[in-house]
Amino acid sequence: MSALRVVLHAPTADGLARARRNALNLASARPDTEILIVANGGAVAAALDTPDPATDGWLRLCRNTLAAQSLDNHGGLAEVEAAVVTLAELQAQGWAYIRA
């Protein structure tokens, strides 16, 4: 069986908390899984306010949200140009999409 590739979409603070739990559960159950968490909307401020070393390596913040909400990525978390583009591109590449 080939490794899973899963992108978890976190558009809200609650969604980010779910995505982080889902990512940890997924990594525990299937350690060879490629995981990304793409955060936009309210999840971006939540990610900046509550860092999580266990999952932040998988996290990608939407630059459009950072700009729209005048947020500073002071923690140096990874960013993507636009969450919508990243989500569409990953799905086109065969990644499984899960909204958290």
Side-chain angles (χ1 to χ4, degrees):
M1 177 182 225
S2 63
L4 294 172
R5 296 185 304 167
V6 178
V7 58
L8 299 159
H9 176 204
T12 65
D14 288 343
L16 177 63
R18 280 189 300 276
R20 285 173 164 168
R21 285 191 308 270
N22 290 166
L24 291 171
N25 290 339
L26 185 55
S28 176
R30 298 290 184 274
D32 60 341
T33 300
E34 290 182 65
I35 301 168
L36 286 176
I37 300 170
V38 177
N40 67 330
V44 173
L48 295 171
D49 290 342
T50 56
D52 181 23
T55 61
D56 281 350
W58 296 315
L59 186 60
R60 303 294 181 268
L61 303 180
C62 176
R63 274 192 213 118
N64 286 339
T65 299
L66 287 164
Q69 296 181 11
S70 300
L71 297 171
D72 179 30
N73 183 2
H74 53 282
L77 295 168
E79 299 177 12
V80 295
E81 177 183 1
V84 66
V85 172
T86 299
L87 293 168
E89 289 175 343
L90 290 171
Q91 288 178 79
Q93 295 167 18
W95 286 64
Y97 169 87
I98 299 173
R99 182 182 166 121

